[in-house]
Each structure stands twice: as structure tokens, then as C-alpha cells.
Amino acid sequence: FPSHDTHRQTAPEFPRLTAVSCYGLDELSHTETPSGDRISAIYRHIDRSLAELEAIAKKRGVLDKMTFVLTADHGQHLTENKEIALPERLSMLGIQTKDDAILKNRDATVASRSVSNAQLYFKNKEDNHSSTDWTRVLTRKDIDTRYPDLLKTLIQDSGIDFIVTRVNDATIHVMAKESSANITLLRYGKDDWIAYTPESDSKDPFKYHHLKSPWTSGQFYRADQWQQWSKDSPYPDALLALSQLFQGPDAGDALFIANHAYSLRSYRDWE
């Protein structure tokens, strides 16, 4: 973290933009546990520094002209040196994910963008001679038709918590081992509206049943309301984050989310 005196330097007026990188968090989080004592100390230091900066801005009469923006490039997923070789799992089920560089003979490809999640892209089987036809997106129904019981088999792996797939352009399906739910995201005016429909209160993959009906009955509520309601749950903001991911142009056909103790990225990738 920059010098503690950075925000005390004399200036005729506050700058239009100040960017501060808290590089200590990233460096230590890769070598220590995300909840280690030194990590916690850095968070407290940042919090105190922001509070002091806010007090100085208020004293100088410029607080109402300032906007504080905190961002992060990624989170932290603590594993126990357990990994899931997803391409090998798929190969055992008859789905080829490794072959030549131009993807000619693959059935699918796996993109492990972090240790905690991986996306699966299926090749368009309507043209088996095409080496580049990966643009058609598949729904859950399409996947089940092409590979019956594939998703039901994979979700039973102890290292996989969730498998997320499309139902249609607005709705995604979340599968856990003993439960499932649909999430629908619609844009109305300037607001995102979300409906969440689990199988039942007792079969709710995100354990939002404490919100009580009607929140988990499929009715639409604004995304900011869901963020507020779910902030103290095991999966805060999961509904909006997953929905937005599948509405992005690079989204795969299925998203795999690892159990907290497992990595979906081979440790060999880091060597």
C-alpha cells in the first residue's frame, strides 16, 4: 500500500482522478491464505486510510464532489491441493476435448479461466467436417439430447458444486447434487430484474430459503434488491453474476463451479 502520508500532501485542490493500487493484497493472497493475519491487517489499513481520506475531504468541503470506486481483478479460492482434471473426466465419458491445435477432431473444449470455474464449449455437430463451427450455443435441452445423463453424471463428482447451463436467452439453470433452480434476468428501463425459482425451499442450491416466499417463488425483483437480500447468504450476488456471465458474448455452453476445496485448473498449468 502507498505511503500512509500520500493523501496528506499539500495541493491547491483535489485532483480529478487518483488511482491507488493495493498490490500487497494480491501478492500476499497468492502465498498465504486469503484470511491470514497479514491479509486482514492490510484490509484494516485500507479501511482506516479511506476513512481518514473521507474525513479530510469532508473537512475541506469537497466530499459531495467525490466518488470512491473500489475494484478487484479477481477473488481468492482456497483449495486443499485437490484438482479435477475435467478434460480427462469428459474423455472417460466419450467426449474428446484434446486434439490438434485447430480443434478439428474435438467434440468440445474446456476453458479453465480460474481455479474455481471452467467453461465447456461444444462443437456444432450438425457439420462434422467443420473445424471452426463453434458459434452455435447449446441449451441444457440440447446438451441432454446429445449426451444423455452427462450433466447428471458430472455433478456427482465430489469436486463440483454447480453446473450452470442455458434454458433460453433470458433463463439459466443451476444444478447442484440434490437440488436445482432457474434464474431469469430481464432488462426493463435502466434496471435489471431477476426471478429465482428453486425446486423447493428444501431443494434450493443457493440456500436462499431464509428469504422466505415470495422471494424464491419465481417473482421478479430488482437486481439491487437481490444483492441486498443475499449479502449475508453463502452465495451473495450469485443470481446477477451468473446471469450476466451467460449473457456475455464469450460464454460457454456449460459452466462448472468447483467445491471450495478443489481446483478446476491443473497445478501443472502453473509450472
Side-chain angles (χ1 to χ4, degrees):
F1 198 73
S3 166
H4 189 62
D5 294 326
T6 299
H7 56 265
R8 292 199 180 99
Q9 296 176 9
T10 303
E13 61 181 19
F14 271 49
R16 292 179 59 85
L17 175 66
T18 298
V20 178
S21 174
C22 305
Y23 51 81
L25 277 175
D26 185 73
E27 183 172 346
L28 283 177
S29 294
H30 281 292
T31 58
E32 301 183 6
T33 64
S35 57
D37 291 341
R38 291 205 292 174
I39 298 295
S40 298
I42 293 176
Y43 278 122
R44 289 192 294 269
H45 177 65
I46 292 172
D47 190 62
R48 288 193 299 268
S49 298
L50 286 172
E52 188 172 349
L53 179 59
E54 181 181 13
I56 293 171
K58 185 176 182 179
K59 183 176 180 179
R60 296 182 60 171
V62 296
L63 182 61
D64 60 343
K65 299 178 182 179
M66 296 178 64
T67 300
F68 294 84
V69 181
L70 275 67
T71 66
D73 61 341
H74 59 77
Q76 294 290 333
H77 180 78
L78 182 62
T79 68
E80 297 175 0
N81 293 325
K82 301 177 181 179
E83 65 177 64
I84 304 171
L86 194 55
E88 284 74 10
R89 295 281 204 283
L90 291 166
S91 179
M92 293 173 63
L93 295 171
I95 300 174
Q96 179 66 27
T97 63
K98 292 184 177 181
D99 205 300
D100 53 81
I102 61 172
L103 311 181
K104 182 178 180 180
N105 298 317
R106 297 189 187 188
D107 300 307
T109 189
V110 176
S112 299
R113 299 181 179 180
S114 71
V115 298
S116 63
N117 68 80
Q119 297 201 56
L120 181 62
Y121 299 78
F122 287 101
K123 183 180 178 181
N124 184 358
K125 288 260 186 172
E126 294 178 1
D127 182 2
N128 288 324
H129 299 290
S130 172
S131 62
T132 58
D133 191 4
W134 296 77
T135 57
R136 178 182 172 231
V137 296
L138 301 187
T139 64
R140 173 180 172 78
K141 182 178 179 180
D142 294 329
I143 298 171
D144 285 343
T145 299
R146 184 182 296 182
Y147 301 106
D149 296 325
L150 171 66
L151 301 178
K152 291 180 181 179
T153 299
L154 289 172
I155 193 60
Q156 296 309 315
D157 192 303
S158 60
I160 296 176
D161 261 358
F162 303 108
I163 300 176
V164 189
T165 51
R166 290 181 184 81
V167 175
N168 52 47
D169 289 342
T171 302
I172 58 176
H173 180 80
V174 180
M175 175 191 289
K177 287 178 175 54
E178 302 294 337
S179 59
S180 65
N182 283 345
I183 306 169
T184 301
L185 173 65
L186 296 176
R187 186 78 173 177
Y188 184 75
K190 296 181 179 180
D191 295 318
D192 288 323
W193 292 77
I194 297 174
Y196 180 61
T197 313
E199 289 182 62
S200 66
D201 282 352
S202 62
K203 292 190 174 183
D204 176 356
F206 293 136
K207 300 177 175 58
Y208 287 158
H209 56 272
H210 68 282
L211 300 177
K212 306 298 182 184
S213 182
W215 318 129
T216 57
S217 63
Q219 294 190 36
F220 281 92
Y221 294 91
R222 290 195 319 272
D224 63 313
Q225 291 177 297
W226 275 110
Q227 289 174 310
Q228 180 65 27
W229 293 332
S230 66
K231 67 179 182 178
D232 295 323
S233 74
Y235 302 99
D237 201 25
L239 306 187
L240 181 61
L242 289 174
S243 296
Q244 288 180 332
L245 187 152
F246 271 85
Q247 291 190 357
D250 299 324
D253 299 310
L255 172 70
F256 294 81
I257 301 175
N259 177 291
H260 72 278
Y262 287 78
S263 169
L264 284 171
R265 189 171 182 178
S266 171
Y267 291 102
R268 293 184 295 274
D269 295 342
W270 302 97
E271 294 177 354

